[in-house]
Amino acid sequence: YNMFAIVRNKYKFAARDKRFVKVQHIETNPFAPDSIQEVISSLNRLIELTARYLKLNDSQIQKMTESNPRPDLLEKFRKKAVAAKNESELLQTAKDYLHQNKQAKFMVVDDRCQKKYGAVIFKTAQGYTAYRRIVKYFAVESLINWVNKKGSGSLTEELISEIGKIPLYTVWHNVGGQVIPEEKLKELFEKIKSSAIVSWAGVHAFYDECDSLYIDFKARYALYLLEHLYSRPICEFDAAIFQDITSDTLVVSEDMLTSSYSSREKDYTDFFRSVTFRNKDEMEAVLGTINDSSFLQDLKVATKDFNADVEKLFEPLR
């Protein structure tokens, strides 16, 4: 796990792209729609598995629970899970439990993984929280890019209404580096079959069109994701929800910066990386110091600017 490399690659790949004519539009952001749809899938799976956990008997619950600071909540939600009238109600119960007992450490078994034995997932509630934060980060970043494109630093009710008119795409594919909605790909195939597109130039023109609308498509997807996370339309979001989104996004932003520094620091503190140098002075003469990293300095500035944008994004709506 190397956050320094992950974050750096986002900028490095773009900086190293020296093409004069960029025919192919390549997404370098690790938090792209095709990745986020997998995160959403994982969130939904954790909810399903938590629902199973809540319906275990006493001995099974004890075996699968490492620690639980709120045993009263566990018993309350176990009863609600048993009393659930349908699957939708059961899943909502599991989701509510994950929200209200974030510090609980329990295990779930996913029989879809490792066909013979299944996979044991540890720290389910913590994983659920982390995934939600990642989705919020993507959503906020996408909305910031969209409002900046519109020349506004913040979202207003009018702008939200405008985003709502953009077509919603929830399934995405990486097509040679460019991330495109599945429905747009189907549209491309149909145009080729019907001879509406008859050349590679026509295909690339279609890709160009998708790229020109990419920020719009992501903004609409971002709105959908936030509504999905909070199980209500954005018009029903209150100040507390907007603050929760803001806070979680800032947590991810700061974690990325801190983890990047920590990952880079290993180059100076890891024993096996230092054995080729006789002393610290020699190592710093070759590698420089961690503060000499231009990327980390740029990331620090970029993080500060991004955090400022995050703080003002929802101001008119609070």
Side-chain angles (χ1 to χ4, degrees), residues 182-251:
E182 183 176 80
E183 289 183 41
K184 296 299 289 183
L185 283 179
K186 290 180 179 178
E187 180 184 331
L188 172 62
F189 298 156
E190 289 302 319
K191 286 186 175 182
I192 293 172
K193 291 176 184 177
S194 66
S195 297
I197 292 178
V198 295
S199 66
W200 279 112
V203 172
H204 285 296
F206 186 88
Y207 288 156
D208 290 341
E209 179 189 354
C210 289
D211 183 67
S212 69
L213 297 170
Y214 188 45
I215 290 178
D216 294 341
F217 292 161
K218 285 197 297 180
R220 181 66 187 91
Y221 186 44
L223 216 60
Y224 160 82
L225 290 172
L226 292 177
E227 292 178 336
H228 175 76
L229 290 180
Y230 290 94
S231 302
R232 69 195 72 182
I234 195 168
C235 62
E236 295 181 9
F237 284 16
D238 56 20
I241 289 180
F242 285 122
Q243 184 56 50
D244 185 60
I245 297 169
T246 299
S247 298
D248 278 351
T249 302
L250 292 175
V251 167

Side-chain angles (χ1 to χ4, degrees), residues 135-151:
V135 174
K136 292 175 193 177
Y137 180 93
F138 164 81
V140 168
E141 182 182 44
S142 298
L143 290 171
I144 287 173
N145 290 337
W146 189 82
V147 296
N148 287 342
K149 177 185 174 184
K150 300 292 290 185

Side-chain angles (χ1 to χ4, degrees), residues 114-125:
Q114 298 189 23
K115 183 177 180 181
K116 188 173 182 180
Y117 300 106
V120 178
I121 299 173
F122 294 83
K123 298 183 180 180
T124 309

Side-chain angles (χ1 to χ4, degrees), residues 55-74:
K55 297 190 76 172
L56 296 175
N57 60 41
D58 291 345
S59 61
Q60 291 172 323
I61 280 281
Q62 186 174 5
K63 179 181 177 182
M64 300 301 286
T65 304
E66 181 181 343
S67 64
N68 180 23
R70 294 291 306 276
D72 57 318
L73 273 180
L74 177 57

Side-chain angles (χ1 to χ4, degrees), residues 255-273:
D255 278 353
M256 289 170 65
L257 177 62
T258 303
S259 297
S260 293
Y261 268 92
S262 298
S263 296
R264 182 58 173 162
E265 192 175 25
K266 293 175 185 176
D267 291 340
Y268 299 90
T269 58
D270 183 85
F271 172 76
F272 292 101
R273 292 177 182 268

Side-chain angles (χ1 to χ4, degrees), residues 291-310:
N291 292 323
D292 292 331
S293 171
S294 60
F295 166 72
L296 287 177
Q297 296 305 316
D298 291 344
L299 179 61
K300 190 173 182 179
V301 173
T303 300
K304 182 180 179 180
D305 292 342
F306 175 76
N307 290 353
D309 288 340
V310 172

Side-chain angles (χ1 to χ4, degrees), residues 20-39:
F20 289 104
V21 180
K22 297 182 180 180
V23 176
Q24 189 178 8
H25 306 284
I26 299 175
E27 173 63 272
T28 61
N29 192 336
F31 293 143
D34 59 329
S35 299
I36 297 303
Q37 72 184 1
E38 298 302 324
V39 175

